Amino acid sequence: PRAVNASTPSTVLFDGGDLRLEQIDALAARRAVSVLDDGAPFRRRIDRGAAFLDTLLKEEGVIYGVTTGYGDSCTVAIPEALTEALPERIFTFHGCGLGDHFDEPATRAILAARLASLCRGYSGVRYELLQRLHGLLQADLLPLIPEEGSVGASGDLTPLSYVAAVLAGQRSLRVEGQVRDTGEVYAERGISPLTLRPKEGLALMNGTAVMTGLACLAFARAAYLEQLATRITALASFALGGNPAHFDPDLFAVKPHPGPVRAAHRLHQDLAAGPAPGHDARLQDRYSLRCAPHVIGVLGDTLTQLRGFVETELNSANDNPIIDADNQRVLHGGHFYGGHIGQAMDSLKTATASVADLLDRQLAQLVDPKFNQGLPANLSAVEGPRACINHGFKAVQIGASAWTAEALKLTMPATSFSRSTECHNQDKVSMGTIAARDALRVLALTEQVSAAALLAVCQAAELRQARDGAALPEALAETLVAVRRDSPPLIEDRPLEHELRGTLTRIRERHWSLYEPHP
């Protein structure tokens, strides 16, 4: 049975108990602080693994990754005189990552995910190592980790080598937004580099912490997008004189997938005032309105169904070998394999990109006078002689279409591209880290589409109010007021990049409270 974690809303306790992905997200955004259990029982449980390895080394002399080489080199014996040097070797030769570096929230999530796994007590590391790893998170000393170089099996070896190297006082880290040499920062702060014990270099690197940390962030962002897409759809339905009967609870009672039921319930509540005056509600709206609960609901149900994949990985000993000190066993296997995270992220990015496509289609309706039920072309609010030189949201819709296309293009499943590596020892790999990075990119693009759609539906709703004297339902009015604090109505054309970026920031910060929990 798994331990119950004793965290509070403002603290995340690392004590070997289960964590929620929202807690990793909170640590990444610095909405919560981390605490490492310093009680004697937990310390003893962790240190038992390291002590068992020391005993085993004296008695038997052969332990994978301690007295042998790594991976396909496991048949290479390491003399006792060189075993102390082996942990440094593994993070040294894996220092070959490329691409951009993970940003600060992602790096915090990675540190938290690795700490959570090591706290399970099956990796053969000392409590001191947990303290030092937690110290990086607590002091916000963030290893500079390249994004590219992991195939997602045998762990996130290359990116996690940068964590191990920083603990040993090497490479670079971010401090207060600045990239600094780790040795210099340690010297200024009186921190001694950690000499890794046998198995500790492998334990730090041979796990799924990068993909798992990223997955926690992706899930939290997608959950907010599910809500935001619903509110945007409600505003679009109002602006287009849509038929709110499409969201009737009795309708969804006969096809009760939880996600669409939740989205339809929210839309029904948002549109409680009914269709705009002066409009006969269409018998059947176009699919981007009528089927919106079904599209948004797939994202919601994807999150629900795949949460277990991510949280089980987060709360597991994803390492090899597993050190079972209680039963005096070393268990060799493949727990570093990131298949569940890869599958979760491939599924999530597909469902997310579909929401981007939905919002893009709604925006296309709103700007087109053939379909927008009497609103001006491109939602331009200018009347009179200057109307001909104003183009409203024309270019914004083009941009949203470009972002949508890129998101849809990225839905090719990364997990289908396993490559045989490392002398065919790693001959079937998960690609989970690439899937997680893809998912975050798709989320970023969908957030951009959402920012464009949100500004457009606010403009459209105001135009509908002015044209027909329509009363905006309370929840939609609140969203309109909140958006207008930063982005005034578009009358004469102006560059919208700054306002789009501001809206995007608020989306990523989950700035607006949208819905209460569904009953």
Side-chain angles (χ1 to χ4, degrees), residues 110 150-153 155-156 207-216 310 313 336-339 341-342 345 430-434 436:
I110 291 165
S150 174
V151 294
D156 286 315
T208 59
V210 175
M211 68 182 84
T212 302
L214 299 183
C216 291
V310 177
E313 193 73 32
F336 47 68
Y337 197 88
I341 297 295
M345 293 296 96
S430 76
M431 296 297 177
T433 309
I434 295 174

Side-chain angles (χ1 to χ4, degrees), residues 359-379:
L359 299 180
D360 178 56
R361 295 301 84 210
Q362 292 175 3
L363 180 51
Q365 279 196 65
L366 287 165
V367 299
D368 192 335
K370 296 188 297 294
F371 304 111
N372 66 13
Q373 303 297 311
L375 296 178
N378 299 307
L379 304 178

Side-chain angles (χ1 to χ4, degrees), residues 60 83 101 138 161 184 305 311 444 459 512:
E60 298 186 14
T83 57
H101 294 96
Q138 193 174 44
S161 77
E184 292 179 1
Q305 293 169 8
E311 290 188 340
Q459 176 95 349
W512 300 297

Side-chain angles (χ1 to χ4, degrees), residues 356 359-360 363 395-405 445 448-450 452-453:
L359 299 180
D360 178 56
L363 180 51
V396 172
Q397 194 273 323
I398 296 170
S401 189
W403 306 324
T404 299
L445 290 162
Q448 291 174 197
V449 176
S450 300

Side-chain angles (χ1 to χ4, degrees), residues 379-437:
L379 304 178
S380 176
V382 177
E383 298 178 351
R386 296 184 61 80
C388 62
I389 63 168
N390 281 277
H391 295 81
F393 280 80
K394 179 188 286 286
V396 172
Q397 194 273 323
I398 296 170
S401 189
W403 306 324
T404 299
E406 186 174 348
L408 293 169
K409 178 179 71 70
L410 289 172
T411 58
M412 178 73 75
T415 50
S416 296
F417 288 86
S418 174
R419 312 295 301 150
S420 184
T421 64
E422 206 252 310
C423 302
H424 299 294
N425 175 51
Q426 301 174 14
D427 59 348
K428 174 60 178 169
V429 294
S430 76
M431 296 297 177
T433 309
I434 295 174
R437 288 173 38 232

